[in-house]
Amino acid sequence: MEIIMARKLTELTKDELIAKIADLEDKLKKRYGLVWDREKEPEKIVVDCEKNVPVLQADKTKAIFNSGEDNILIEGDNYHALSCLNYTHRGKIDVIYIDPPYNRGGDFVYNDKRLSKDDEYKHSKWLNFMEKRLELAKHLLSPRGVLFISIDDFEYGNLKLLCDKIFQEEMVDTMVWRKSGEGRDGKMKNTTTFRKDHEYIICCFKKQLLNKLIEKPNFQNEYGNPDNDPRGNYKAGSISNKESASNPNHEYYYSVTAPGGKVFTRQFNFSKEEFDRYNNDVLINEDGRKVSRIYWGKNNNSVPAIKIFINEERTVTPSSLFLNKGTTTEGTKEAESILHKDCHDMRPKPVNLLISLIQLASSKDSIILDFFAGTGTTGQAVLTANKKYGGQRKFILCTNNEGNICSDYCFPRIQKVINGYEKWKTGESVAGLSGNLVYYKTALIPVERIDKVTDKQRVEITRKAGTMIGMKENTLKETELTEYYQIFTTHDDARKTAIYFREDESKMNELIKKLADTPTALYVFSYSKVDKEAYKELGKNIRVEDIPEPLLQIYKEINLKIEEK
């Protein structure tokens, strides 16, 4: 067989050719995985990036500087935005959430055409569209990063296989979100089978690690308050093993004494220090008696239990079933309440769903990205999570402006959430949340080919990449722009970023004086690479970097991979 494979097909005998065809057919039958037509109609935006360099330009008229962390909104095609973020934020994003078009006909634009449900290549085009963006998104995730994707039944199977291919099968899982509330929540659709009350959230991991959730218990039974605890009704939860089932050698094996004097020696679920902390969390009830967070029974002499208050949030292990995380109807009403306009066709996700996902995968200083930002629910959820649970999380939102969704929905919503607003129809005042916003638009710089950039084009790219470099260094405030250089700072001026545009260094000393003793990242233009040794005398305060070659290398990497496919 090896000899046959080495020979040309034209040299094979009839019997050999028949045998080879049969062998290939057998292999095809055994093939498992996702196969689709990538070449039938490639995506124009992706192909155009072979001859264009995407950059970001700041729209200073839409910047919001109040207090808190700097957040980012990018208006433009998300393929261009993700290309730029692969330079500025590669490996820095802890959480990505997207709610892409579900491809049910009319909700998905491909090569400037809105696809109908009758398009025979609708699945292939959608997969082409998703594959390119998911591959770019994967590079952005931190070592513990998680990507969440909302989807329904129509493309779930295809998307799950695509994610298996990109992230490896064992690093992909699925949650089910109940999108409808109890009873007649929203419009009831007529159906000959059953009502679809769920959607999926595909979870793609770099490392399979999630946090616990902080939420109120969802008890089905009624619970009382036998000792009139001011914190309200509660369920008494077990916190120890029976004495007969306890391990005396366990680190949580110890004795506690009830208020009535009885001693209990057994294996508990947590340390003695934590037990004492709960037991000493005491309030005075309306009878004037002290009541602890530990319940010792009616006579204060029973096995200790922990009080789980029905109106108090607690840490719980998450379930793959998201049953009480808001509904589609709630998401629509939330957006309408802020924007004072009908958002039914947008079908935004509820804030509570996004807060739960942010809790699961973020730390207090994580960056959260949504590159199908829609009306901006993810941005509102990040700011709300910071206020509710503490932290300095930041968001990056990306959306095009089709149907004015960025200018008339996403930006105004975030603006109102930060500045405060009055609810639609009720007039109730809602205070603003802490946060700043910097607004960018994508732009393209034409080149002959991404791997054939002229010296003149390198100069132009360097001049127009300053905004991206400032973003890369988390110094978003531009303080100066001349023919030779550009300077960005943090809002407290604690750090600076400078870009020197020219090979002619006649203004370099002038720039260095303006940096003073502030820690600075200095990006120096070069047609190839900068000799960093030549800048050693500037001191440890200044870190020298190349531009534009590292940016071009990333874009070449992206486009060469596309060509290989």
Side-chain angles (χ1 to χ4, degrees):
M1 191 63 179
E2 291 177 359
I3 295 173
I4 293 175
M5 292 295 288
R7 290 157 54 193
K8 294 180 181 179
L9 291 177
T10 54
E11 298 175 353
L12 299 179
T13 67
K14 180 179 178 181
D15 290 341
E16 288 173 337
L17 187 58
I18 291 171
K20 183 171 179 59
I21 292 171
D23 180 60
L24 290 172
E25 287 178 341
D26 184 58
K27 287 180 178 178
L28 285 173
K29 287 177 184 178
K30 294 177 181 178
R31 185 169 182 171
Y32 172 79
L34 186 62
V35 181
W36 75 94
D37 189 343
R38 289 187 173 94
E39 304 302 327
K40 182 65 179 179
E41 188 180 340
E43 189 180 0
K44 184 176 182 296
I45 281 173
V46 176
V47 174
D48 284 348
C49 280
E50 295 177 14
K51 296 185 177 182
N52 290 279
V53 175
V55 293
L56 299 176
Q57 298 176 339
D59 185 343
K60 297 178 183 178
T61 65
K62 293 181 178 177
I64 303 171
F65 295 119
N66 288 341
S67 64
E69 301 303 311
D70 291 337
N71 303 286
I72 292 168
L73 173 57
I74 302 174
E75 177 190 324
D77 185 88
N78 58 14
Y79 184 82
H80 296 152
L82 287 168
S83 297
C84 294
L85 291 173
N86 261 262
Y87 174 67
T88 63
H89 284 79
R90 183 171 282 207
K92 297 179 181 179
I93 308 293
D94 284 341
V95 186
I96 300 177
Y97 170 78
I98 57 172
D99 186 15
Y102 288 5
N103 200 24
R104 284 192 165 274
D107 67 338
F108 174 47
V109 175
Y110 191 82
N111 289 350
D112 301 323
K113 295 179 182 178
R114 192 169 291 278
L115 292 192
S116 73
K117 62 182 179 180
D118 299 322
D119 189 314
E120 64 176 316
Y121 288 99
K122 60 180 177 291
H123 294 293
S124 291
K125 292 174 182 177
W126 188 84
L127 285 167
N128 282 341
F129 174 84
M130 291 299 297
E131 181 188 35
K132 304 298 186 296
R133 286 152 181 81
L134 292 181
E135 287 180 339
L136 292 181
K138 182 182 178 181
H139 292 311
L140 300 178
L141 288 173
S142 70
R144 62 155 291 168
V146 184
L147 165 64
F148 297 108
I149 312 172
S150 283
I151 199 69
D152 72 358
D153 298 82
F154 191 67
E155 291 288 4
Y156 168 76
N158 289 332
L159 182 59
K160 174 63 167 60
L161 288 173
L162 177 61
C163 291
D164 288 344
K165 170 180 172 290
I166 294 172
F167 283 85
Q168 300 180 5
E169 186 174 352
E170 66 272 14
M171 302 303 286
V172 180
D173 214 330
T174 302
M175 295 187 292
V176 178
W177 169 54
R178 182 177 180 179
K179 65 178 183 177
S180 303
E182 300 291 342
R184 297 178 65 87
D185 178 23
K187 183 179 180 181
M188 293 285 287
K189 293 182 179 180
N190 291 325
T191 175
T192 56
T193 55
F194 45 79
R195 172 184 171 188
K196 293 289 180 70
D197 276 344
H198 72 280
E199 287 183 4
Y200 303 100
I201 301 173
I202 296 178
C203 313
C204 304
F205 299 92
K206 276 292 194 75
K207 181 180 181 181
Q208 288 185 313
L209 177 67
L210 292 177
N211 305 318
K212 304 290 187 183
L213 281 177
I214 304 172
E215 58 183 21
K216 289 182 180 180
N218 183 34
F219 295 133
Q220 301 302 312
N221 299 325
E222 295 290 332
Y223 292 97
N225 187 357
D227 56 359
N228 292 320
D229 194 309
R231 286 164 284 218
N233 292 4
Y234 59 86
K235 172 187 177 181
S238 173
I239 56 173
S240 65
N241 295 350
K242 292 181 179 180
E243 292 179 4
S244 59
S246 294
N247 177 9
N249 296 317
H250 195 276
E251 61 176 326
Y252 295 155
Y253 185 85
Y254 50 83
S255 299
V256 296
T257 304
K262 190 171 182 179
V263 177
F264 297 92
T265 303
R266 52 179 59 202
Q267 180 183 328
F268 288 83
N269 296 348
F270 40 73
S271 69
K272 181 65 163 56
E273 290 75 18
E274 190 169 357
F275 180 93
D276 291 341
R277 187 164 59 251
Y278 287 130
N279 197 36
N280 293 329
D281 185 359
V282 173
L283 295 178
I284 306 298
N285 68 10
E286 61 184 14
D287 304 323
R289 292 185 294 113
K290 292 181 179 180
V291 288
S292 165
R293 192 173 283 270
I294 295 294
Y295 181 60
W296 296 94
K298 292 182 180 180
N299 299 317
N300 276 333
N301 238 357
S302 299
V303 174
I306 188 78
K307 293 178 180 177
I308 304 172
F309 297 97
I310 64 173
N311 291 317
E312 185 177 81
E313 290 188 332
R314 66 187 182 111
T315 301
V316 299
T317 299
S319 165
S320 61
L321 297 176
F322 267 28
L323 300 179
N324 297 283
K325 308 298 180 187
T327 66
T328 303
T329 300
E330 290 172 4
T332 300
K333 289 179 179 178
E334 287 166 351
E336 291 177 342
S337 180
I338 297 169
L339 294 168
H340 295 193
K341 62 176 70 176
D342 185 354
C343 296
H344 183 266
D345 290 340
M346 307 289 179
R347 301 190 68 75
K349 294 296 187 284
V351 171
N352 192 34
L353 173 65
L354 271 296
I355 288 177
S356 296
L357 297 178
I358 290 167
Q359 280 190 63
L360 280 178
S362 75
S363 60
K364 289 185 180 295
D365 60 353
S366 289
I367 302 174
I368 292 93
L369 168 66
D370 183 346
F371 56 90
F372 287 95
T375 66
T377 303
T378 300
Q380 182 178 351
V382 170
L383 299 179
T384 304
N386 283 343
K387 179 180 180 181
K388 190 171 184 181
Y389 302 110
Q392 302 80 43
R393 300 170 189 85
K394 295 182 285 189
F395 65 76
I396 302 174
L397 305 181
C398 310
T399 180
N400 60 29
N401 202 30
E402 181 189 349
N404 297 324
I405 192 167
C406 190
S407 59
D408 293 357
Y409 292 87
C410 189
F411 172 70
R413 180 176 185 176
I414 299 301
Q415 183 181 42
K416 289 186 175 185
V417 168
I418 291 175
N419 292 334
Y421 61 96
E422 290 187 353
K423 287 187 175 181
W424 194 22
K425 297 179 181 178
T426 69
E428 177 187 349
S429 294
V430 178
L433 299 175
S434 176
N436 301 317
L437 186 72
V438 186
Y439 194 109
Y440 299 96
K441 293 183 179 180
T442 58
L444 297 174
I445 301 174
V447 294
E448 180 185 350
R449 246 178 72 104
I450 196 65
D451 56 348
K452 294 180 180 179
V453 179
T454 67
D455 289 348
K456 183 178 179 180
Q457 289 165 343
R458 285 174 179 272
V459 174
E460 182 184 7
I461 290 166
T462 300
R463 287 191 61 85
K464 293 184 177 179
T467 295
M468 292 170 59
I469 294 170
M471 183 191 294
K472 183 176 188 288
E473 296 290 343
N474 196 26
T475 51
L476 303 186
K477 181 182 175 184
E478 183 187 321
T479 59
E480 190 166 358
L481 174 62
T482 74
E483 287 298 311
Y484 282 80
Y485 55 80
Q486 189 174 18
I487 302 174
F488 293 86
T489 73
T490 55
H491 292 295
D492 58 3
D493 295 323
R495 290 184 298 105
K496 292 182 178 180
T497 300
I499 304 97
Y500 195 85
F501 301 134
R502 299 188 178 190
E503 199 169 47
D504 168 15
E505 295 192 352
S506 59
K507 299 292 183 180
M508 180 64 80
N509 287 336
E510 176 181 300
L511 170 61
I512 298 301
K513 288 179 182 178
K514 292 184 177 183
L515 303 179
D517 295 326
T518 308
T520 301
L522 173 59
Y523 284 72
V524 180
F525 170 79
S526 175
Y527 292 115
S528 55
K529 282 196 170 186
V530 171
D531 179 10
K532 296 183 181 180
E533 289 293 318
Y535 295 89
K536 271 191 171 181
E537 72 277 4
L538 297 180
K540 295 181 179 179
N541 237 18
I542 295 180
R543 168 170 51 89
V544 176
E545 301 289 349
D546 293 305
I547 194 69
E549 190 57 30
L551 171 63
L552 294 175
Q553 284 297 330
I554 286 177
Y555 287 169
K556 280 188 273 189
E557 174 192 323
I558 291 170
N559 284 279
L560 286 176
K561 283 185 177 180
I562 291 167
E563 284 186 357
E564 288 172 4
K565 291 181 182 298

